[in-house]
Amino acid sequence: MSAVGRRTTRGRGPGAASPAARRAALVVIGLVFALPIAAMVAFSLRSADGTGHDLGHWLALADPENGRAYRNLVEGVTNSLVLAVVTAVVVLVMLVPAMVLVHLRYPRLSRVLEFVCLVPITVPAIVLVVGLAPVYSVVARLLGSGAWTLALAYGVTVLPYAYRAVQSDLAATDLRTLTEASRTLGSSWLVTLVLVVVPSLRRGLLAAAFITVAVVLGEYTISSLLNRVTLQTSLVQISRSDPFAAVIVALLALAFAFVLLVVMGRVGSIGTARPAAPSTTSRKALS
């Protein structure tokens, strides 16, 4: 086989897809996501009389005179944002130390921890609500009936996804060597956890936080059956009287999730050193 032929087939296994097939798959997947969004944008730009397109519905949503009509929607958006922050904090604070402790000290319990974290994904949301209803009757008496208390239930539903995100980063990091070096230099476990473990697992933690925000913003069943006002319940309610406002807010929620994903990607790449390209002199020396 010639050198050109070896370069062409290098890195492609016998079952690997061709570049054209990969591009076709990306185009199909992109259309699956883009077509519904384009339909939502076109629907939100319909004029009031239905004969053309304008920004009337977008401007009406931002008009202060309509604040009373959209008061429930504003409350739902605010509650969901608070829930997203509280749920992310609860999940990361409880999950990460447990995973690090099992990884470093009790590796035999890793399967047990994985099983416990993945069990919620097998339980339907309606079954979870039936089990949580008596618990939330007690929670309402102790902590009130604020929407933020849903963070406890959302933390359970998010647990499988957050576990996978952190575990993938944990398996790719030599955390044992890093923590032993930190402890050898005299650092306490708390300092080691904050200054060594958290920066080492930064990408996994950011991925877990993003998944948590996405799940909380899209969750409907639990908040609806437990009679809490969130983004999804308020969207369903307002869609009965103003479907254009519901579609516009759904588009804004998608844009917010996209911006959040880009920001977290940027934050996760800070401090990541790229491999230096070999200089011309080095390439000549190697050749």
Side-chain angles (χ1 to χ4, degrees):
M1 181 181 294
S2 64
V4 177
R6 287 195 298 270
R7 284 196 297 270
T8 304
T9 58
R10 185 178 301 169
R12 288 177 52 187
S18 65
R22 290 197 293 267
R23 283 194 289 270
L26 289 177
V27 170
V28 172
I29 294 174
L31 288 176
V32 169
F33 283 99
L35 286 179
I37 296 176
M40 292 170 67
V41 173
F43 178 76
S44 67
L45 293 176
R46 283 186 183 177
S47 59
D49 55 4
T51 58
H53 295 81
D54 55 28
L55 295 175
H57 298 294
W58 289 77
L59 297 177
L61 191 63
D63 192 348
E65 295 183 356
N66 297 327
R68 186 172 182 179
Y70 298 136
R71 182 173 54 190
N72 192 42
L73 182 61
V74 174
E75 181 183 359
V77 172
T78 305
N79 289 341
S80 289
L81 292 178
V82 173
L83 268 172
V85 174
V86 176
T87 305
V89 171
V90 169
V91 169
L92 294 180
V93 168
M94 296 185 65
L95 180 63
V96 174
M99 292 183 66
V100 172
L101 182 63
V102 170
H103 180 76
L104 296 179
R105 291 295 185 89
Y106 308 104
R108 292 183 178 180
L109 296 179
S110 59
R111 292 294 183 186
V112 178
L113 180 62
E114 181 181 9
F115 175 78
V116 172
C117 291
L118 296 183
V119 161
I121 203 172
T122 64
V123 181
I126 184 67
V127 178
L128 195 62
V129 171
V130 172
L132 287 174
V135 177
Y136 267 88
S137 64
V138 178
V139 171
R141 287 197 298 269
L142 296 177
L143 304 177
S145 58
W148 69 270
T149 56
L150 286 179
L152 304 175
Y154 285 175
V156 176
T157 59
V158 167
L159 199 59
Y161 313 104
Y163 173 82
R164 283 301 184 194
V166 178
Q167 178 61 30
S168 61
D169 208 11
L170 189 63
T173 305
D174 190 4
L175 203 60
R176 188 179 305 278
T177 302
L178 295 175
T179 53
E180 288 179 355
S182 176
R183 294 287 293 165
T184 303
L185 294 174
S187 300
S188 63
W189 273 112
L190 181 60
V191 173
T192 302
L193 181 66
V194 174
L195 299 182
V196 177
V197 175
V198 171
S200 301
L201 304 178
R202 182 176 55 189
R203 289 193 174 186
L205 299 181
L206 289 174
F210 173 76
I211 294 173
T212 301
V213 173
V215 171
V216 170
L217 292 183
E219 204 286 327
Y220 172 76
T221 305
I222 295 176
S223 57
S224 176
L225 295 178
L226 292 179
N227 296 321
R228 301 299 196 277
V229 179
T230 61
L231 172 61
Q232 297 301 321
T233 58
S234 60
L235 280 180
V236 172
Q237 185 175 1
I238 201 171
S239 64
R240 298 167 183 166
S241 58
D242 190 352
F244 297 98
V247 171
I248 292 172
V249 174
L251 286 171
L252 294 177
L254 285 174
F256 173 75
F258 179 76
V259 172
L260 187 63
L261 178 62
V262 173
V263 171
M264 287 186 172
R266 293 288 183 183
V267 173
S269 62
I270 294 176
T272 303
R274 294 183 176 179
S279 61
T280 305
T281 306
S282 301
R283 288 197 295 268
K284 290 181 178 179
L286 291 174
S287 62

